[in-house]
Amino acid sequence: MPRIDDAHRTDRKTVILDAAERCFARSGFHGASMAQICAEAGMSPGNLYRYFPSKEALTEGLIERDLAEATASFSLLGQVDDIWTAFSELGRHYLVEQPREEVAVWIETMAEVSRNPQIAALRKKTDEVIHDCLFGVLKTAKDRGLAAPHADIEAIVQFMMTYADGLLLRRVRDPHFDASTQIETMFAMTRAMMGAAPEASNDNRN
């Protein structure tokens, strides 16, 4: 059982990160000041800086939190029978159902890559983790015989990451953009590239 001090520290970090996420979504990385984040979190600057000394540190905290959740979710895919359905549902969760404000923060980090080396390093780490998660799922599908032996997993992972980045950017840029049809297209193309059947569930209907 965690000590009270550790639990309190975790709770305070969560409050701060949630506040920073809202500020970044409203004002952007540069527009949001540490003073605004302190006010949003209901915390004095001295107290907040004990946990996160800069906006870069806050961004790192947000990314680390998101990656921990994503890694845990992806690890469960290897334990399900219908891996394609579970995979597409997970993709829908992150690319379609995730609140647009949270997606906006994700896009903010992308925009910072060319001018902020610290954010660039964080984005590189993020891409590596996502790459490994996607690669692991597709390899599991291939090992189970749910894809063609010649399927080029690396090329397919690169396709999925590029498509997903574009989809998220469109969601932020156009509030009327329908991401649900695009996620279906992405997974249909992924299955085709893997040499999988068009619909995994059809195998069990006949």
Side-chain angles (χ1 to χ4, degrees), residues 30 107-124:
H30 288 288
I107 297 301
E108 277 290 320
T109 65
M110 292 183 184
E112 282 297 302
V113 166
S114 64
R115 51 183 175 254
N116 189 320
Q118 191 171 344
I119 299 298
L122 290 172
R123 282 297 316 181
K124 182 175 185 296

Side-chain angles (χ1 to χ4, degrees), residues 54-92:
S54 65
K55 285 193 286 187
E56 285 79 8
L58 284 164
T59 301
E60 182 175 9
L62 288 169
I63 288 176
E64 291 288 353
R65 184 170 69 174
D66 289 345
L67 287 182
E69 178 188 333
T71 301
S73 298
F74 271 96
S75 67
L76 296 176
L77 293 181
Q79 304 173 26
V80 301
D81 294 328
D82 191 348
I83 193 169
W84 284 118
T85 297
F87 191 16
S88 63
E89 288 176 353
L90 185 62
R92 178 174 290 275

Side-chain angles (χ1 to χ4, degrees), residues 36-177:
Q36 289 173 335
I37 295 170
C38 288
E40 186 76 21
M43 189 177 299
S44 68
N47 200 10
L48 187 143
Y49 276 91
R50 289 172 51 204
Y51 296 95
F52 299 99
S54 65
K55 285 193 286 187
E56 285 79 8
L58 284 164
T59 301
E60 182 175 9
L62 288 169
I63 288 176
E64 291 288 353
R65 184 170 69 174
D66 289 345
L67 287 182
E69 178 188 333
T71 301
S73 298
F74 271 96
S75 67
L76 296 176
L77 293 181
Q79 304 173 26
V80 301
D81 294 328
D82 191 348
I83 193 169
W84 284 118
T85 297
F87 191 16
S88 63
E89 288 176 353
L90 185 62
R92 178 174 290 275
H93 170 72
Y94 282 108
L95 301 178
V96 179
E97 298 170 354
Q98 188 176 26
R100 185 166 173 265
E101 293 75 17
E102 295 180 16
V103 175
V105 176
W106 189 257
I107 297 301
E108 277 290 320
T109 65
M110 292 183 184
E112 282 297 302
V113 166
S114 64
R115 51 183 175 254
N116 189 320
Q118 191 171 344
I119 299 298
L122 290 172
R123 282 297 316 181
K124 182 175 185 296
K125 177 182 177 181
T126 299
D127 286 347
E128 289 171 350
V129 172
I130 294 174
H131 171 281
D132 291 348
C133 286
L134 293 173
F135 194 97
V137 173
L138 296 180
K139 185 176 186 304
T140 297
K142 188 174 182 181
D143 291 344
R144 290 185 185 180
L146 302 175
H150 62 270
D152 186 344
I153 296 179
E154 178 60 31
I156 298 168
V157 168
Q158 293 300 326
F159 156 76
M160 295 190 78
M161 293 179 68
T162 302
Y163 197 107
D165 282 350
L167 192 154
L168 292 175
L169 180 59
R170 285 289 304 277
R171 280 197 63 198
V172 173
R173 191 180 70 187
D174 181 1
H176 304 295
F177 174 64

